[in-house]
Amino acid sequence: MKNLLATVAFVGLSATAASAATVVDLTTGGDATGNGLQMGSFASGAVTGTIDPWRRGGSADYLTQTGTGLGVTGGWDTSNQLDGIVDESITFTFDHSVRLVSVEFSNFGRYDDADIYVNGTMVADDSSNNPYYFGNVVASSFTIGADGVFDNFRIKSFTVAPVPLPAAGFLLLGGLAGLGALSRKRKKAA
């Protein structure tokens, strides 16, 4: 009986630990690398992936990273933020699926708004929410874009959580633990 209780407690604690959120810091000295490069990466705990800047036009796109977060620059556009002078965006692609919780912006004024995509599908057009909450959707990528003439902001951080095990997985583990406990009880009785 003690082993069964220990197993149930272990499964319960594992389920709790699996739902812990991770904040990925995109400021200088944070969890992202790639300042001045055409591609970047991020790593925070078990959350890893790539960062891809994009600008409309033929010139190269470069990530810019400061103490306030990530932006994009290139060509004649010397602003190092996400701005609407030329449409710009940054895509974050994860090495494995995660639950998207939120994204936070810096230098986000009252005229700023962001276009937000999850797995390539637009989920918010011109959102002025800061932070923006995704609603815990499971995704392998998300994109933040700026296309308004007054947009001029940076991406400061984002928060994700691991994809939880399905309830059937916990039932299976509980059932296996119960069978193990029954087997031990029968062996002791024999």
Side-chain angles (χ1 to χ4, degrees):
M1 187 64 161
K2 288 181 183 178
N3 288 338
L4 177 62
L5 290 174
T7 303
V8 170
F10 173 75
V11 170
L13 289 174
S14 297
T16 303
S19 65
T22 301
V23 176
V24 178
D25 178 8
L26 302 173
T27 63
T28 304
D31 302 317
T33 57
N35 187 34
L37 301 176
Q38 290 182 308
M39 287 289 285
S41 62
F42 59 89
S44 180
V47 179
T48 58
T50 59
I51 307 168
D52 185 12
W54 175 85
R55 297 177 64 257
R56 182 177 301 281
S59 65
D61 318 314
Y62 298 97
L63 281 174
T64 60
Q65 185 179 36
T66 68
T68 59
L70 289 179
V72 178
T73 191
W76 56 268
D77 179 12
T78 58
S79 166
N80 58 10
Q81 302 191 79
L82 283 169
D83 59 57
I85 295 173
V86 210
D87 293 355
E88 299 175 337
S89 66
I90 298 177
T91 299
F92 300 88
T93 304
F94 299 94
D95 292 339
H96 55 81
S97 292
V98 297
R99 282 187 307 126
L100 297 175
V101 177
S102 65
V103 60
E104 185 175 0
F105 309 110
S106 61
N107 305 334
F108 201 79
R110 71 188 227 192
Y111 297 112
D112 288 316
D113 54 57
D115 295 334
I116 301 170
Y117 299 80
V118 173
N119 293 334
T121 301
M122 181 178 270
V123 296
D125 185 16
D126 297 334
S127 172
S128 59
N129 296 335
N130 186 26
Y132 175 82
Y133 291 96
F134 290 99
N136 291 321
V137 297
V138 175
S140 58
S141 71
F142 76 94
T143 301
I144 304 297
D147 62 3
V149 70
F150 296 111
D151 293 340
N152 203 22
F153 60 91
R154 294 183 157 282
I155 306 171
K156 181 179 179 182
S157 65
F158 62 85
T159 304
V160 296
V163 177
L165 290 174
F170 291 117
L171 288 173
L172 174 65
L173 289 174
L176 290 174
L179 288 173
L182 248 153
S183 174
R184 285 191 190 124
K185 189 175 184 177
R186 286 184 182 164
K187 284 182 184 178
K188 285 184 181 180

mmCIF file of all heavy atoms in Angstrom, residues 89-135:
data_model
loop_
_atom_site.group_PDB
_atom_site.id
_atom_site.type_symbol
_atom_site.label_atom_id
_atom_site.label_comp_id
_atom_site.label_asym_id
_atom_site.label_seq_id
_atom_site.Cartn_x
_atom_site.Cartn_y
_atom_site.Cartn_z
ATOM 1 N N SER A 89 8.913 41.473 -39.216
ATOM 2 C CA SER A 89 8.430 40.472 -38.270
ATOM 3 C C SER A 89 9.597 39.641 -37.753
ATOM 4 O O SER A 89 10.688 39.643 -38.339
ATOM 5 C CB SER A 89 7.392 39.552 -38.916
ATOM 6 O OG SER A 89 7.989 38.770 -39.923
ATOM 7 N N ILE A 90 9.342 38.952 -36.665
ATOM 8 C CA ILE A 90 10.298 37.990 -36.105
ATOM 9 C C ILE A 90 9.527 36.713 -35.821
ATOM 10 O O ILE A 90 8.483 36.738 -35.165
ATOM 11 C CB ILE A 90 10.958 38.519 -34.821
ATOM 12 C CG1 ILE A 90 11.754 39.791 -35.093
ATOM 13 C CG2 ILE A 90 11.863 37.447 -34.204
ATOM 14 C CD1 ILE A 90 12.387 40.421 -33.865
ATOM 15 N N THR A 91 10.066 35.582 -36.328
ATOM 16 C CA THR A 91 9.452 34.273 -36.110
ATOM 17 C C THR A 91 10.308 33.462 -35.148
ATOM 18 O O THR A 91 11.526 33.370 -35.319
ATOM 19 C CB THR A 91 9.301 33.508 -37.440
ATOM 20 O OG1 THR A 91 8.458 34.274 -38.304
ATOM 21 C CG2 THR A 91 8.697 32.127 -37.221
ATOM 22 N N PHE A 92 9.654 32.881 -34.155
ATOM 23 C CA PHE A 92 10.294 32.001 -33.180
ATOM 24 C C PHE A 92 9.820 30.576 -33.470
ATOM 25 O O PHE A 92 8.616 30.309 -33.446
ATOM 26 C CB PHE A 92 9.906 32.400 -31.758
ATOM 27 C CG PHE A 92 10.311 33.797 -31.403
ATOM 28 C CD1 PHE A 92 9.471 34.863 -31.678
ATOM 29 C CD2 PHE A 92 11.544 34.052 -30.830
ATOM 30 C CE1 PHE A 92 9.843 36.165 -31.372
ATOM 31 C CE2 PHE A 92 11.927 35.348 -30.518
ATOM 32 C CZ PHE A 92 11.080 36.406 -30.795
ATOM 33 N N THR A 93 10.765 29.674 -33.764
ATOM 34 C CA THR A 93 10.431 28.284 -34.058
ATOM 35 C C THR A 93 11.043 27.403 -32.975
ATOM 36 O O THR A 93 12.248 27.487 -32.707
ATOM 37 C CB THR A 93 10.963 27.875 -35.444
ATOM 38 O OG1 THR A 93 10.436 28.785 -36.421
ATOM 39 C CG2 THR A 93 10.554 26.457 -35.794
ATOM 40 N N PHE A 94 10.224 26.568 -32.360
ATOM 41 C CA PHE A 94 10.651 25.725 -31.245
ATOM 42 C C PHE A 94 11.146 24.373 -31.739
ATOM 43 O O PHE A 94 10.677 23.859 -32.754
ATOM 44 C CB PHE A 94 9.485 25.522 -30.263
ATOM 45 C CG PHE A 94 8.991 26.811 -29.679
ATOM 46 C CD1 PHE A 94 7.935 27.487 -30.262
ATOM 47 C CD2 PHE A 94 9.602 27.364 -28.560
ATOM 48 C CE1 PHE A 94 7.479 28.689 -29.740
ATOM 49 C CE2 PHE A 94 9.162 28.563 -28.037
ATOM 50 C CZ PHE A 94 8.095 29.231 -28.629
ATOM 51 N N ASP A 95 12.078 23.777 -30.994
ATOM 52 C CA ASP A 95 12.590 22.451 -31.325
ATOM 53 C C ASP A 95 11.558 21.364 -31.051
ATOM 54 O O ASP A 95 11.665 20.264 -31.578
ATOM 55 C CB ASP A 95 13.877 22.169 -30.550
ATOM 56 C CG ASP A 95 15.022 23.059 -31.025
ATOM 57 O OD1 ASP A 95 14.957 23.575 -32.158
ATOM 58 O OD2 ASP A 95 15.991 23.242 -30.259
ATOM 59 N N HIS A 96 10.579 21.645 -30.205
ATOM 60 C CA HIS A 96 9.457 20.731 -29.942
ATOM 61 C C HIS A 96 8.251 21.580 -29.566
ATOM 62 O O HIS A 96 8.385 22.720 -29.152
ATOM 63 C CB HIS A 96 9.792 19.720 -28.842
ATOM 64 C CG HIS A 96 10.250 20.359 -27.564
ATOM 65 N ND1 HIS A 96 9.378 20.883 -26.633
ATOM 66 C CD2 HIS A 96 11.492 20.602 -27.078
ATOM 67 C CE1 HIS A 96 10.076 21.406 -25.628
ATOM 68 N NE2 HIS A 96 11.348 21.250 -25.875
ATOM 69 N N SER A 97 7.073 21.031 -29.725
ATOM 70 C CA SER A 97 5.847 21.798 -29.450
ATOM 71 C C SER A 97 5.772 22.237 -27.993
ATOM 72 O O SER A 97 6.203 21.507 -27.096
ATOM 73 C CB SER A 97 4.617 20.960 -29.791
ATOM 74 O OG SER A 97 4.548 20.752 -31.181
ATOM 75 N N VAL A 98 5.228 23.429 -27.788
ATOM 76 C CA VAL A 98 5.052 24.003 -26.445
ATOM 77 C C VAL A 98 3.657 24.611 -26.363
ATOM 78 O O VAL A 98 2.989 24.786 -27.378
ATOM 79 C CB VAL A 98 6.108 25.100 -26.150
ATOM 80 C CG1 VAL A 98 7.513 24.531 -26.139
ATOM 81 C CG2 VAL A 98 5.997 26.245 -27.144
ATOM 82 N N ARG A 99 3.235 24.939 -25.146
ATOM 83 C CA ARG A 99 2.007 25.709 -24.959
ATOM 84 C C ARG A 99 2.414 27.174 -24.887
ATOM 85 O O ARG A 99 3.201 27.560 -24.019
ATOM 86 C CB ARG A 99 1.296 25.298 -23.663
ATOM 87 C CG ARG A 99 0.528 24.017 -23.767
ATOM 88 C CD ARG A 99 -0.295 23.713 -22.530
ATOM 89 N NE ARG A 99 0.488 23.763 -21.311
ATOM 90 C CZ ARG A 99 0.188 24.505 -20.244
ATOM 91 N NH1 ARG A 99 -0.888 25.254 -20.224
ATOM 92 N NH2 ARG A 99 0.954 24.473 -19.183
ATOM 93 N N LEU A 100 1.908 28.001 -25.779
ATOM 94 C CA LEU A 100 2.205 29.433 -25.758
ATOM 95 C C LEU A 100 1.346 30.093 -24.692
ATOM 96 O O LEU A 100 0.129 29.937 -24.683
ATOM 97 C CB LEU A 100 1.905 30.057 -27.120
ATOM 98 C CG LEU A 100 2.722 29.546 -28.298
ATOM 99 C CD1 LEU A 100 2.223 30.174 -29.599
ATOM 100 C CD2 LEU A 100 4.190 29.828 -28.096
ATOM 101 N N VAL A 101 1.986 30.833 -23.796
ATOM 102 C CA VAL A 101 1.262 31.515 -22.726
ATOM 103 C C VAL A 101 1.122 33.001 -23.052
ATOM 104 O O VAL A 101 0.019 33.517 -23.153
ATOM 105 C CB VAL A 101 1.967 31.302 -21.364
ATOM 106 C CG1 VAL A 101 1.241 32.069 -20.264
ATOM 107 C CG2 VAL A 101 2.053 29.820 -21.025
ATOM 108 N N SER A 102 2.258 33.702 -23.228
ATOM 109 C CA SER A 102 2.193 35.149 -23.476
ATOM 110 C C SER A 102 3.465 35.647 -24.146
ATOM 111 O O SER A 102 4.484 34.957 -24.166
ATOM 112 C CB SER A 102 1.971 35.909 -22.163
ATOM 113 O OG SER A 102 3.094 35.749 -21.319
ATOM 114 N N VAL A 103 3.396 36.858 -24.676
ATOM 115 C CA VAL A 103 4.559 37.563 -25.206
ATOM 116 C C VAL A 103 4.468 38.995 -24.694
ATOM 117 O O VAL A 103 3.384 39.575 -24.629
ATOM 118 C CB VAL A 103 4.635 37.509 -26.754
ATOM 119 C CG1 VAL A 103 3.427 38.142 -27.399
ATOM 120 C CG2 VAL A 103 5.920 38.141 -27.267
ATOM 121 N N GLU A 104 5.631 39.554 -24.299
ATOM 122 C CA GLU A 104 5.661 40.916 -23.749
ATOM 123 C C GLU A 104 6.541 41.810 -24.618
ATOM 124 O O GLU A 104 7.606 41.395 -25.072
ATOM 125 C CB GLU A 104 6.188 40.895 -22.317
ATOM 126 C CG GLU A 104 6.128 42.250 -21.657
ATOM 127 C CD GLU A 104 6.546 42.221 -20.194
ATOM 128 O OE1 GLU A 104 6.891 41.146 -19.679
ATOM 129 O OE2 GLU A 104 6.530 43.294 -19.578
ATOM 130 N N PHE A 105 6.085 43.044 -24.821
ATOM 131 C CA PHE A 105 6.795 44.005 -25.652
ATOM 132 C C PHE A 105 7.380 45.117 -24.792
ATOM 133 O O PHE A 105 6.886 45.416 -23.710
ATOM 134 C CB PHE A 105 5.836 44.627 -26.679
ATOM 135 C CG PHE A 105 5.056 43.608 -27.459
ATOM 136 C CD1 PHE A 105 3.694 43.453 -27.264
ATOM 137 C CD2 PHE A 105 5.700 42.799 -28.376
ATOM 138 C CE1 PHE A 105 2.976 42.513 -27.978
ATOM 139 C CE2 PHE A 105 4.992 41.849 -29.096
ATOM 140 C CZ PHE A 105 3.632 41.707 -28.895
ATOM 141 N N SER A 106 8.436 45.759 -25.306
ATOM 142 C CA SER A 106 8.970 46.967 -24.666
ATOM 143 C C SER A 106 8.856 48.109 -25.672
ATOM 144 O O SER A 106 8.687 47.878 -26.868
ATOM 145 C CB SER A 106 10.426 46.757 -24.236
ATOM 146 O OG SER A 106 11.229 46.480 -25.362
ATOM 147 N N ASN A 107 8.960 49.326 -25.172
ATOM 148 C CA ASN A 107 8.793 50.534 -25.996
ATOM 149 C C ASN A 107 7.457 50.505 -26.737
ATOM 150 O O ASN A 107 7.350 50.986 -27.855
ATOM 151 C CB ASN A 107 9.939 50.684 -27.005
ATOM 152 C CG ASN A 107 11.295 50.684 -26.358
ATOM 153 O OD1 ASN A 107 11.443 51.049 -25.198
ATOM 154 N ND2 ASN A 107 12.297 50.252 -27.088
ATOM 155 N N PHE A 108 6.450 49.910 -26.132
ATOM 156 C CA PHE A 108 5.136 49.707 -26.757
ATOM 157 C C PHE A 108 4.224 50.835 -26.310
ATOM 158 O O PHE A 108 3.698 50.824 -25.207
ATOM 159 C CB PHE A 108 4.584 48.343 -26.319
ATOM 160 C CG PHE A 108 3.523 47.779 -27.221
ATOM 161 C CD1 PHE A 108 3.860 47.159 -28.404
ATOM 162 C CD2 PHE A 108 2.190 47.835 -26.862
ATOM 163 C CE1 PHE A 108 2.893 46.607 -29.238
ATOM 164 C CE2 PHE A 108 1.211 47.294 -27.677
ATOM 165 C CZ PHE A 108 1.563 46.674 -28.867
ATOM 166 N N GLY A 109 4.061 51.825 -27.193
ATOM 167 C CA GLY A 109 3.254 52.996 -26.863
ATOM 168 C C GLY A 109 1.796 52.831 -27.253
ATOM 169 O O GLY A 109 1.384 51.790 -27.764
ATOM 170 N N ARG A 110 1.033 53.876 -27.055
ATOM 171 C CA ARG A 110 -0.414 53.778 -27.292
ATOM 172 C C ARG A 110 -0.779 53.679 -28.766
ATOM 173 O O ARG A 110 -1.889 53.290 -29.101
ATOM 174 C CB ARG A 110 -1.147 54.934 -26.624
ATOM 175 C CG ARG A 110 -0.963 56.266 -27.250
ATOM 176 C CD ARG A 110 -1.573 57.300 -26.361
ATOM 177 N NE ARG A 110 -2.393 58.223 -27.115
ATOM 178 C CZ ARG A 110 -2.849 59.340 -26.624
ATOM 179 N NH1 ARG A 110 -2.585 59.645 -25.385
ATOM 180 N NH2 ARG A 110 -3.577 60.133 -27.358
ATOM 181 N N TYR A 111 0.128 54.002 -29.669
ATOM 182 C CA TYR A 111 -0.147 53.877 -31.097
ATOM 183 C C TYR A 111 0.414 52.587 -31.698
ATOM 184 O O TYR A 111 0.245 52.321 -32.879
ATOM 185 C CB TYR A 111 0.400 55.083 -31.866
ATOM 186 C CG TYR A 111 -0.257 56.369 -31.452
ATOM 187 C CD1 TYR A 111 0.457 57.340 -30.766
ATOM 188 C CD2 TYR A 111 -1.598 56.605 -31.712
ATOM 189 C CE1 TYR A 111 -0.150 58.518 -30.365
ATOM 190 C CE2 TYR A 111 -2.218 57.775 -31.313
ATOM 191 C CZ TYR A 111 -1.483 58.724 -30.641
ATOM 192 O OH TYR A 111 -2.095 59.892 -30.235
ATOM 193 N N ASP A 112 1.119 51.812 -30.888
ATOM 194 C CA ASP A 112 1.695 50.554 -31.370
ATOM 195 C C ASP A 112 0.652 49.454 -31.381
ATOM 196 O O ASP A 112 -0.257 49.427 -30.547
ATOM 197 C CB ASP A 112 2.865 50.123 -30.477
ATOM 198 C CG ASP A 112 4.089 50.995 -30.656
ATOM 199 O OD1 ASP A 112 4.425 51.289 -31.818
ATOM 200 O OD2 ASP A 112 4.694 51.380 -29.644
ATOM 201 N N ASP A 113 0.801 48.546 -32.337
ATOM 202 C CA ASP A 113 -0.005 47.326 -32.367
ATOM 203 C C ASP A 113 0.806 46.246 -33.078
ATOM 204 O O ASP A 113 1.674 46.539 -33.887
ATOM 205 C CB ASP A 113 -1.359 47.550 -33.043
ATOM 206 C CG ASP A 113 -1.245 48.144 -34.426
ATOM 207 O OD1 ASP A 113 -0.558 47.545 -35.285
ATOM 208 O OD2 ASP A 113 -1.828 49.210 -34.664
ATOM 209 N N ALA A 114 0.527 45.009 -32.744
ATOM 210 C CA ALA A 114 1.284 43.886 -33.291
ATOM 211 C C ALA A 114 0.358 42.927 -34.022
ATOM 212 O O ALA A 114 -0.779 42.710 -33.604
ATOM 213 C CB ALA A 114 2.005 43.150 -32.162
ATOM 214 N N ASP A 115 0.863 42.380 -35.114
ATOM 215 C CA ASP A 115 0.189 41.289 -35.806
ATOM 216 C C ASP A 115 0.794 40.001 -35.251
ATOM 217 O O ASP A 115 2.026 39.872 -35.186
ATOM 218 C CB ASP A 115 0.406 41.366 -37.313
ATOM 219 C CG ASP A 115 -0.233 42.604 -37.923
ATOM 220 O OD1 ASP A 115 -1.212 43.111 -37.342
ATOM 221 O OD2 ASP A 115 0.266 43.070 -38.968
ATOM 222 N N ILE A 116 -0.037 39.046 -34.861
ATOM 223 C CA ILE A 116 0.444 37.845 -34.184
ATOM 224 C C ILE A 116 -0.047 36.610 -34.927
ATOM 225 O O ILE A 116 -1.239 36.487 -35.232
ATOM 226 C CB ILE A 116 -0.005 37.843 -32.710
ATOM 227 C CG1 ILE A 116 0.554 39.102 -32.043
ATOM 228 C CG2 ILE A 116 0.455 36.574 -32.002
ATOM 229 C CD1 ILE A 116 0.033 39.384 -30.671
ATOM 230 N N TYR A 117 0.896 35.726 -35.228
ATOM 231 C CA TYR A 117 0.618 34.482 -35.943
ATOM 232 C C TYR A 117 1.059 33.309 -35.077
ATOM 233 O O TYR A 117 2.091 33.376 -34.409
ATOM 234 C CB TYR A 117 1.402 34.423 -37.258
ATOM 235 C CG TYR A 117 1.073 35.524 -38.230
ATOM 236 C CD1 TYR A 117 1.622 36.797 -38.078
ATOM 237 C CD2 TYR A 117 0.233 35.297 -39.303
ATOM 238 C CE1 TYR A 117 1.326 37.816 -38.967
ATOM 239 C CE2 TYR A 117 -0.065 36.307 -40.215
ATOM 240 C CZ TYR A 117 0.488 37.569 -40.031
ATOM 241 O OH TYR A 117 0.191 38.569 -40.918
ATOM 242 N N VAL A 118 0.286 32.221 -35.112
ATOM 243 C CA VAL A 118 0.658 30.975 -34.441
ATOM 244 C C VAL A 118 0.665 29.885 -35.501
ATOM 245 O O VAL A 118 -0.338 29.701 -36.210
ATOM 246 C CB VAL A 118 -0.325 30.629 -33.302
ATOM 247 C CG1 VAL A 118 -0.036 29.256 -32.733
ATOM 248 C CG2 VAL A 118 -0.264 31.684 -32.204
ATOM 249 N N ASN A 119 1.793 29.210 -35.644
ATOM 250 C CA ASN A 119 1.959 28.167 -36.680
ATOM 251 C C ASN A 119 1.580 28.689 -38.062
ATOM 252 O O ASN A 119 0.978 27.982 -38.868
ATOM 253 C CB ASN A 119 1.145 26.919 -36.343
ATOM 254 C CG ASN A 119 1.667 26.201 -35.122
ATOM 255 O OD1 ASN A 119 2.836 26.296 -34.778
ATOM 256 N ND2 ASN A 119 0.791 25.483 -34.452
ATOM 257 N N GLY A 120 1.894 29.957 -38.347
ATOM 258 C CA GLY A 120 1.643 30.543 -39.657
ATOM 259 C C GLY A 120 0.244 31.092 -39.876
ATOM 260 O O GLY A 120 -0.038 31.653 -40.927
ATOM 261 N N THR A 121 -0.647 30.959 -38.896
ATOM 262 C CA THR A 121 -2.017 31.459 -39.028
ATOM 263 C C THR A 121 -2.205 32.684 -38.144
ATOM 264 O O THR A 121 -1.883 32.648 -36.953
ATOM 265 C CB THR A 121 -3.026 30.366 -38.603
ATOM 266 O OG1 THR A 121 -2.835 29.220 -39.432
ATOM 267 C CG2 THR A 121 -4.452 30.860 -38.735
ATOM 268 N N MET A 122 -2.734 33.767 -38.720
ATOM 269 C CA MET A 122 -2.941 34.989 -37.945
ATOM 270 C C MET A 122 -3.979 34.752 -36.851
ATOM 271 O O MET A 122 -5.069 34.259 -37.114
ATOM 272 C CB MET A 122 -3.383 36.145 -38.829
ATOM 273 C CG MET A 122 -3.579 37.448 -38.058
ATOM 274 S SD MET A 122 -4.043 38.833 -39.100
ATOM 275 C CE MET A 122 -2.417 39.445 -39.513
ATOM 276 N N VAL A 123 -3.618 35.119 -35.610
ATOM 277 C CA VAL A 123 -4.545 35.010 -34.481
ATOM 278 C C VAL A 123 -4.927 36.380 -33.936
ATOM 279 O O VAL A 123 -5.895 36.500 -33.189
ATOM 280 C CB VAL A 123 -3.992 34.109 -33.355
ATOM 281 C CG1 VAL A 123 -3.815 32.680 -33.843
ATOM 282 C CG2 VAL A 123 -2.686 34.659 -32.795
ATOM 283 N N ALA A 124 -4.160 37.424 -34.285
ATOM 284 C CA ALA A 124 -4.471 38.783 -33.844
ATOM 285 C C ALA A 124 -3.953 39.776 -34.880
ATOM 286 O O ALA A 124 -2.783 39.759 -35.228
ATOM 287 C CB ALA A 124 -3.854 39.076 -32.485
ATOM 288 N N ASP A 125 -4.854 40.618 -35.370
ATOM 289 C CA ASP A 125 -4.494 41.655 -36.325
ATOM 290 C C ASP A 125 -4.514 42.995 -35.595
ATOM 291 O O ASP A 125 -5.546 43.403 -35.073
ATOM 292 C CB ASP A 125 -5.497 41.657 -37.476
ATOM 293 C CG ASP A 125 -5.130 42.636 -38.573
ATOM 294 O OD1 ASP A 125 -3.969 43.094 -38.615
ATOM 295 O OD2 ASP A 125 -6.009 42.951 -39.399
ATOM 296 N N ASP A 126 -3.368 43.639 -35.527
ATOM 297 C CA ASP A 126 -3.237 44.944 -34.880
ATOM 298 C C ASP A 126 -3.641 44.906 -33.401
ATOM 299 O O ASP A 126 -4.432 45.725 -32.935
ATOM 300 C CB ASP A 126 -4.055 46.003 -35.622
ATOM 301 C CG ASP A 126 -3.559 46.220 -37.038
ATOM 302 O OD1 ASP A 126 -2.364 45.966 -37.288
ATOM 303 O OD2 ASP A 126 -4.360 46.645 -37.897
ATOM 304 N N SER A 127 -3.086 43.958 -32.653
ATOM 305 C CA SER A 127 -3.374 43.856 -31.222
ATOM 306 C C SER A 127 -2.595 44.916 -30.451
ATOM 307 O O SER A 127 -1.397 45.091 -30.648
ATOM 308 C CB SER A 127 -2.989 42.470 -30.690
ATOM 309 O OG SER A 127 -3.105 42.446 -29.283
ATOM 310 N N SER A 128 -3.282 45.604 -29.556
ATOM 311 C CA SER A 128 -2.615 46.596 -28.706
ATOM 312 C C SER A 128 -2.425 46.064 -27.290
ATOM 313 O O SER A 128 -2.086 46.822 -26.387
ATOM 314 C CB SER A 128 -3.423 47.900 -28.691
ATOM 315 O OG SER A 128 -4.728 47.644 -28.212
ATOM 316 N N ASN A 129 -2.631 44.758 -27.081
ATOM 317 C CA ASN A 129 -2.464 44.151 -25.754
ATOM 318 C C ASN A 129 -0.987 43.934 -25.448
ATOM 319 O O ASN A 129 -0.262 43.359 -26.250
ATOM 320 C CB ASN A 129 -3.196 42.807 -25.670
ATOM 321 C CG ASN A 129 -4.684 42.962 -25.821
ATOM 322 O OD1 ASN A 129 -5.228 44.023 -25.539
ATOM 323 N ND2 ASN A 129 -5.342 41.922 -26.277
ATOM 324 N N ASN A 130 -0.559 44.381 -24.288
ATOM 325 C CA ASN A 130 0.813 44.175 -23.833
ATOM 326 C C ASN A 130 0.796 43.898 -22.335
ATOM 327 O O ASN A 130 0.500 44.802 -21.569
ATOM 328 C CB ASN A 130 1.681 45.386 -24.130
ATOM 329 C CG ASN A 130 3.143 45.133 -23.792
ATOM 330 O OD1 ASN A 130 3.594 43.998 -23.793
ATOM 331 N ND2 ASN A 130 3.864 46.194 -23.498
ATOM 332 N N PRO A 131 1.068 42.665 -21.930
ATOM 333 C CA PRO A 131 1.435 41.517 -22.750
ATOM 334 C C PRO A 131 0.236 40.956 -23.509
ATOM 335 O O PRO A 131 -0.914 41.184 -23.137
ATOM 336 C CB PRO A 131 1.959 40.499 -21.736
ATOM 337 C CG PRO A 131 1.307 40.875 -20.450
ATOM 338 C CD PRO A 131 1.101 42.362 -20.486
ATOM 339 N N TYR A 132 0.553 40.195 -24.555
ATOM 340 C CA TYR A 132 -0.476 39.503 -25.312
ATOM 341 C C TYR A 132 -0.540 38.069 -24.793
ATOM 342 O O TYR A 132 0.487 37.397 -24.695
ATOM 343 C CB TYR A 132 -0.147 39.507 -26.810
ATOM 344 C CG TYR A 132 -1.136 38.702 -27.616
ATOM 345 C CD1 TYR A 132 -2.348 39.252 -28.006
ATOM 346 C CD2 TYR A 132 -0.888 37.373 -27.939
ATOM 347 C CE1 TYR A 132 -3.274 38.515 -28.715
ATOM 348 C CE2 TYR A 132 -1.807 36.628 -28.652
ATOM 349 C CZ TYR A 132 -3.005 37.198 -29.027
ATOM 350 O OH TYR A 132 -3.926 36.456 -29.714
ATOM 351 N N TYR A 133 -1.742 37.594 -24.461
ATOM 352 C CA TYR A 133 -1.931 36.230 -23.963
ATOM 353 C C TYR A 133 -2.463 35.347 -25.078
ATOM 354 O O TYR A 133 -3.487 35.651 -25.683
ATOM 355 C CB TYR A 133 -2.880 36.218 -22.758
ATOM 356 C CG TYR A 133 -2.254 36.876 -21.553
ATOM 357 C CD1 TYR A 133 -2.510 38.210 -21.253
ATOM 358 C CD2 TYR A 133 -1.368 36.178 -20.747
ATOM 359 C CE1 TYR A 133 -1.919 38.831 -20.170
ATOM 360 C CE2 TYR A 133 -0.769 36.790 -19.660
ATOM 361 C CZ TYR A 133 -1.039 38.113 -19.376
ATOM 362 O OH TYR A 133 -0.435 38.718 -18.309
ATOM 363 N N PHE A 134 -1.774 34.238 -25.335
ATOM 364 C CA PHE A 134 -2.133 33.321 -26.411
ATOM 365 C C PHE A 134 -3.318 32.426 -26.061
ATOM 366 O O PHE A 134 -3.952 31.877 -26.945
ATOM 367 C CB PHE A 134 -0.947 32.422 -26.770
ATOM 368 C CG PHE A 134 0.182 33.141 -27.446
ATOM 369 C CD1 PHE A 134 1.290 33.542 -26.727
ATOM 370 C CD2 PHE A 134 0.145 33.405 -28.801
ATOM 371 C CE1 PHE A 134 2.351 34.189 -27.347
ATOM 372 C CE2 PHE A 134 1.197 34.051 -29.441
ATOM 373 C CZ PHE A 134 2.296 34.445 -28.706
ATOM 374 N N GLY A 135 -3.578 32.190 -24.789
ATOM 375 C CA GLY A 135 -4.648 31.275 -24.401
ATOM 376 C C GLY A 135 -4.173 29.837 -24.305
ATOM 377 O O GLY A 135 -4.958 28.920 -24.488
#
